[in-house]
Every structure is written in structure tokens, then in C-alpha cells.
Amino acid sequence: MPNPILGIDFGTSSCAVAILGADGPRLIPDRAGREFLPSMVVVRDDGELLVGHEAVRESHKLAGQCFAVSSIKRRLDRTIEIKPGDGRTSPLILSALILAELRLQAESHFSCDFNDAVIAVPANFGYFQRQFIKEAALIAGLNPIRIVNEATTSVCMLPKDFEGLVTTADLGGGTFDVSVVETGDGVSEVIYTDGADDLGGDDFTEVLEKLLLRKADMDFDVNYCRTHPVTSRRIRSAAEELKCLLSGSDAAEARIPYLRTHAGSFRDFACTLSRMEFEQECAALLRRIESLVEDTRPYVEKRGRMKKNWDSKLERPNAPAKASEGWFRQLFSRVAAPTEPSGAATLKPSSPIPPFYSSIWLLGNATRMPAIGHRLRKQWHVQPAKVGDLKSPVALGAAQIAGMLSGAEKSILLLDVTPRSVGTADKAGDFVPMILRNTSLPVACTQSFTTTVPNQTSISLPIMEESRRAASGAVQIGTLRIEGLIPCAAGIPKIDVKFDVDANAVLRVSAQDTATGRSVAVQCDELQLPERTLNQYHGMVQDWLAQRRRRYGASG
């Protein structure tokens, strides 16, 4: 019997690996019982690589004397080279080391080999970022059978008897994901998914860092504090601790020992910050979260109208609501704040809550900040996530999907959507979408194209993907070229181009010349790294993994 498939949450600040057992999915701990692996890699001066908890311990012990890389998921770019000392490395290798450590953690716990994995990534990740994760997994010795969206995987942890719409908002260390899912009769259908891969708990910590330095600017050498590796790390740790304290109290004191003053001496720094002051500084971040959640509303309302028109079951208040708010917002205000008097619509006693009613489940440790729930409660009904740890649903959901793919889990069926729009470009270079994002999978779309100049015998069609980072709004992820066209006047040939995205979110583009019957196809899941380089990196990581296995064996 083949070994089970691992479910992996490749997080910005920490990672986790899970497996589906007889009693459901569960996280796999390391030998010390720790279930979450810090997403950090340290390169020591002697070239030794340390990952996870060992890397964190080493970075604190030898701050400024070793090269530490954290939040690697925010640096998944092939053009970036990280230079520790006189050498250089790639985020791809560092990501592979973390995945290899997770694999070793699972193998050590179960004393068997694991080869396949389902890996959860932010919903906003594009084609190249997902291919990047695939390559990192292959280098780590894992076969990534599916790359899934984080917010979608967390939905798998809904209670099996839950029916209706739910919106999951997952704010992790470095990314924010939001999904709307309708579930019932054992089927979970994703309606909408979106997110930001540059918005997370780290950004709130950075706000506190800047705030602390601003308060220290009068008496302390702030430029020195920013650039000195040991001091900057202590300030970062103080800001992280202060963020956690302000989640549980209205004010908290930050103490940072041994900071350098303008006079060159060293003394302790202490200040008290209020939660209100912190939230005011984070206003822009909170607005981004609100905006991303608010973007889900049209999809929720549309699904509500498809189900049934519940508008007639609402008793209108004496004072009519604003036209912009509409019946759906009235329903939310009724459920979110039932004790508020006037202005809120009420349901008739005999009317049940509509089945399309959507509440928000906040996931991710960063959602513990009270400001997030408070801001969202103004417009939505925020419910507790009903999970033991806000960090665990993504990894557990990935394990649940892994069980579905292996056939071990047959009680639920998950229907996903396209994470980004895909299409081609017109003559002017503008993006022409063929399949819009948030379209249910599988999906196919065919459109006819023709030549633009006389006697044209070939057509080169760029395959484009929507991108918020590109100035043009789209990036090219491939090219489809069809040759052998019959020379004739421009506009006469007819080439049918088909964009097809399967249930695994793999894009296949094909084209056929209706005159000659000649056809060509390309599948957009090819690895970007040359095979020789991939094998070289794989060998390096496997050598490191062999050393780790020997160390595990010696310590066991």
C-alpha cells in the first residue's frame, strides 16, 4: 500500500506538515513535539545550513555573525540572489531546504518514506510563483501532486454537517487570503478567492518597529539601531512581543535594553504604547483587509439571488435604509448586531436564516489583533473559526485534500476556481482575457483568431496571465505558435484557439487551422528551471538531507 500524501502549509513565518489518519487530519510534530517549523534558514560562516528552530536559535545566539533569511515566501523571484558571505544562493534552494526539513520531520515520526505532497500557497500566487514552489518541492525530493490555495484548503476543516456560505479570511505572517465557499451535501464549491501576497502580520510588526524608533529618535541613535544587526533584531523582537501584548490589553510597555544614544553611550529604552495608537498607525493595512473582504460581497449576493429571493421575507423598518446598503447589508446588520435598536431589519419569527447567508471565519494568528475583527464586524458577521489553533487549518485542509486525491477521503468533494484570469494579447499588446478568474473548474473557452498581414503563414500567440504587479496588467507565461497556414489575404484564415483549465488548475492551450486541420497544443505546467540545474540543486539538498538523517538517527 502506498504511503499517504502529505499536506504542507508553506507559510511566511512558519510551516506545518499534516497527514490524514483514520480519525481525520492531524499535524505531524517533530521529535521535540513542536508542530510548526519557523520559515528561517541560517547560513553559518563555515557554510553549514540550519533550518527552522535551529536557525532561529543560531540567529539569536550569533546575530550579526551569521546570515539569516526569513519570510522566504515573499522573495520567490528567480532574479534574486542571496549572498551570504562570499557565496551566493537562491530563494529556490532555501525554500527547498524548508520543504526537505518538513519531509524529514514526517519520515522521522512515521519511520517511512514520503514522496508525494499537496502544498498550500496564497490564492494570489501566479503561474511563476506556483511553478517556483513545484521546483522547490522536486529539489526537496517531493512530488507536488497539487498546488492549492490556502484559504480554500482551510474550508475543508468546516464541520461536516455545515451547510451554506462561509467566507474565510486568513491573515498569516506575510499573506492575506479570502475565499467564499458554499458547502452542502458533501460538496464544497469555491465561489470566489483572492488575496494579497504582500499583506500579513509582518507588516503590522514593521509598523510597530517604525513607531518605536520614532519615539526613540529624540534620545537614541536611530540610524545605528536600524543598521546594527544585533540591535535591529532586538527591536524587531520587542515589536513582535508588543504586538501580541496589545492584542490582549489596551496598552503595553516595550523595553529594549542597551540602545546607543546620540552621545555614544548605551542605556535602556522604555515606552508605553496604547492599542488605539497602534491601530491608527495601521489604518492603511486595515483598509486593505476591509477592501479585499468587501470585494467578496457581489459574489455572495449573486449566489444569494440564485438560491432564492429572500427580500420579501424581510420586514422593512420605518426609516428606509440607504439605497447603497440594500437588503443584503440589512440582513448582515441584523445578524451581526441583534441588540441594536432602530434601523436594522428583522426577520419574521417563522423565517429561518437564509441558506446563502455568509459569515466570516478569521484564520491565521495575525487575526488575533482586535482591530481586524472590530473593523469587519461593522459590515459582516464574524464568527470564531471553531478550530483549536488559528494556524493549523491550512495544513490540515491540505492533508484533507491529499486524502481526497488518494481516495482515502470520500466524504467531501471540493470544487475550486481559477486563481487568475488567463488569455492572450491583441495586436496592440493589450490583455484579452479568455477565462476570467474565479471561474469554476474545469472550464474551457474557444475563440477564433486570424492573420493581420497578407500571405502570413504562421501565428505566434502569447499566453498571458492577469497580474497586479505588471504595468500592463498581465504577464506572458507561454507562447503558442501554429505554422503551415495557407498564404492568402489578411483576415481570411480562421484559427480556433481553445483555453482549457482542468480540475487541477493546469492550463492547456490548443489551436487548429480550420482550412488545413493542422493543430498544435501547449500545456502550461512546464518547469522553468533547466533540468541540469534542477538536478544539481536536487543533489545539493539531498546531500544536506542525508546529513540531517544521520543526525536524527544519532539523536534517536
Side-chain angles (χ1 to χ4, degrees), residues 59-362:
S59 67
H60 287 309
K61 184 174 67 175
L62 299 175
Q65 303 176 43
C66 63
F67 188 82
V69 184
S70 58
S71 300
I72 297 171
K73 196 166 72 170
R74 284 190 163 187
R75 309 170 75 172
L76 302 187
D77 190 332
R78 298 175 195 283
T79 62
I80 293 177
E81 281 192 343
I82 299 172
K83 299 179 179 180
D86 297 329
R88 63 181 183 178
T89 187
S90 160
L92 185 63
I93 296 178
L94 302 182
S95 301
L97 290 171
I98 293 174
L99 292 173
E101 181 70 17
L102 291 171
R103 177 190 175 193
L104 177 62
Q105 185 170 309
E107 290 177 347
S108 175
H109 186 83
F110 289 101
S111 299
C112 65
D113 294 332
F114 288 95
N115 301 312
D116 299 327
V118 170
I119 304 176
V121 300
N124 202 47
F125 265 21
Y127 170 78
F128 290 115
Q129 290 165 305
R130 292 169 190 262
Q131 294 301 95
F132 195 104
I133 294 295
K134 286 183 180 180
E135 291 172 4
L138 291 171
I139 292 170
L142 288 169
N143 174 32
I145 59 175
R146 186 174 291 189
I147 305 295
V148 293
N149 296 329
E150 290 177 354
T152 301
T153 61
S154 61
V155 172
C156 294
M157 299 313 299
L158 285 169
K160 293 186 182 296
D161 58 349
F162 179 87
E163 292 191 1
L165 279 186
V166 63
T167 300
T168 62
D170 184 358
L171 185 66
T175 60
F176 178 66
D177 289 271
V178 59
S179 284
V180 179
V181 180
E182 182 177 19
T183 181
D185 297 328
V187 178
S188 295
E189 181 183 0
V190 180
I191 308 301
Y192 174 92
T193 188
D194 196 8
D197 54 9
D198 59 350
L199 173 62
D202 287 353
D203 298 284
F204 289 86
T205 303
E206 187 176 337
V207 167
L208 275 177
E209 280 188 80
K210 293 178 180 178
L211 188 56
L212 290 174
L213 288 173
R214 198 160 68 235
K215 287 182 174 293
D217 188 36
M218 183 177 295
D219 299 319
F220 295 88
D221 187 347
V222 172
N223 290 330
Y224 174 86
C225 294
R226 285 196 186 102
T227 56
H228 190 265
V230 177
T231 305
S232 62
R233 183 169 293 278
R234 285 194 283 113
I235 295 173
R236 178 77 175 187
S237 298
E240 183 67 34
E241 182 182 0
L242 184 61
K243 182 179 70 174
C244 297
L245 291 173
L246 288 175
S247 295
S249 60
D250 294 331
E253 184 183 44
R255 283 188 172 274
I256 309 175
Y258 210 62
L259 291 189
R260 179 172 171 171
T261 65
H262 291 297
S265 60
F266 290 86
R267 63 184 178 88
D268 295 350
F269 166 73
C271 74
T272 299
L273 285 178
S274 68
R275 182 192 293 173
M276 182 179 296
E277 188 176 4
F278 172 46
E279 292 176 358
Q280 288 173 348
E281 293 291 323
C282 297
L285 298 175
L286 295 171
R287 282 196 298 269
R288 285 190 65 191
I289 293 174
E290 280 185 292
S291 176
L292 287 166
V293 174
E294 186 65 22
D295 287 344
T296 69
R297 191 178 295 278
Y299 291 84
V300 176
E301 291 184 340
K302 180 181 178 181
R303 183 51 60 110
R305 290 191 295 270
M306 290 171 59
K307 284 292 183 181
K308 193 171 183 179
N309 183 10
W310 287 84
D311 189 33
S312 59
K313 295 188 178 183
L314 288 173
E315 291 182 352
R316 300 297 182 185
N318 294 329
K322 295 180 181 179
S324 62
E325 291 183 351
W327 66 269
F328 199 75
R329 185 164 297 185
Q330 295 177 49
L331 174 62
F332 275 114
S333 63
R334 169 67 184 94
V335 179
T339 57
E340 291 183 3
S342 64
T346 58
L347 291 173
K348 292 181 179 180
S350 60
S351 300
I353 293 178
F356 56 84
Y357 153 73
S358 176
S359 60
I360 293 184
W361 283 18
L362 298 181

Side-chain angles (χ1 to χ4, degrees), residues 41-50 58 65-67 84-87 89 94 97 540 544 547 551:
V41 179
V42 159
V43 184
R44 290 177 36 156
D45 290 341
D46 59 4
E48 184 179 359
L49 296 167
L50 301 175
E58 190 77 2
Q65 303 176 43
C66 63
F67 188 82
D86 297 329
T89 187
L94 302 182
L97 290 171
M540 293 168 54
W544 174 85
Q547 296 177 7
R551 187 182 304 176

